[in-house]
Amino acid sequence: LGENVAPVVLPVSMAGELSHPRMLGQITANDEFEGKNLLLIIEDGDGLLEKRDRASSVISDFLNIVDGLVGEIVNLHVIVTTNLQKKDFDPAITRPGRLHSILYFEALPYEQAAKVYRRETGEDLAKDKDEYTLAEVYALALNHGNGVREKAVTQWAGQYL
């Protein structure tokens, strides 16, 4: 996308609103976005990607905007984070030509996790196990000092579209 990008973080609850002219008008009327590639970032977008027999009809609206004429007009690009496995994606999402890429972030070997932890804290990571997710490393780093995150981190690694 280059340097000419206007990022917009969109709550997943508003993704279905993209098909409404009012929402697109608000996004495209912003002078800061004129002449730029519009990058929508939607976190925890499982409901936008999962098979329709389990998800809402928001998938159709979402795909019409992202992959349709409106998306082309506003030069729209989208990043959606999810914890779904690719097998759980709606087939319309994964059809050829629709996605640029699917990135899967697996747990880091201890050596890599320790480098990240050292970069963040200046200290060594205790070797409590052989692999750490990136989320775990950052949670440990935040808990190390005066960080605000104090809840346990689960053992999964997520995917990013």
Side-chain angles (χ1 to χ4, degrees):
L1 294 174
E3 295 178 22
N4 199 23
V5 176
V8 175
V9 178
L10 185 72
V12 71
S13 61
M14 294 182 68
E17 302 292 318
L18 285 173
S19 63
H20 298 291
R22 173 181 47 91
M23 173 67 104
L24 282 173
Q26 288 177 339
I27 292 173
T28 58
N30 190 326
D31 291 339
E32 294 179 34
F33 299 163
E34 191 167 329
K36 293 186 176 184
N37 296 314
L38 182 58
L39 176 64
L40 287 181
I41 302 167
I42 303 172
E43 196 170 6
D44 296 326
D46 297 4
L48 297 175
L49 306 174
E50 65 186 338
K51 293 178 182 170
R52 287 182 231 204
D53 59 314
R54 294 186 307 197
S56 68
S57 63
V58 74
I59 292 173
S60 294
D61 292 341
F62 178 68
L63 289 176
N64 285 336
I65 295 299
V66 172
D67 201 34
L69 185 59
V70 175
E72 287 293 319
I73 291 171
V74 298
N75 205 10
L76 179 65
H77 303 272
V78 180
I79 294 175
V80 179
T81 67
T82 184
N83 292 320
L84 293 175
Q85 297 295 317
K86 185 178 175 183
K87 66 179 177 56
D88 297 322
F89 290 177
D90 189 283
I93 297 288
T94 58
R95 76 175 175 137
R98 180 138 293 157
L99 298 176
H100 180 271
S101 58
I102 295 176
L103 303 176
Y104 184 74
F105 296 90
E106 296 183 3
L108 301 172
Y110 170 78
E111 295 75 21
Q112 287 180 322
K115 286 180 185 177
V116 174
Y117 186 82
R118 177 171 279 293
R119 184 186 69 217
E120 295 299 316
T121 67
E123 298 188 13
D124 292 329
L125 176 64
K127 188 170 183 182
D128 297 330
K129 54 188 185 171
D130 293 331
E131 295 182 330
Y132 291 81
T133 66
L134 197 53
E136 289 174 315
V137 174
Y138 277 100
L140 290 169
L142 282 172
N143 286 333
H144 171 265
N146 294 322
V148 293
R149 186 183 300 172
E150 293 293 336
K151 63 181 182 179
V153 178
T154 60
Q155 296 295 321
W156 52 264
Q159 291 185 352
Y160 292 79
L161 290 184

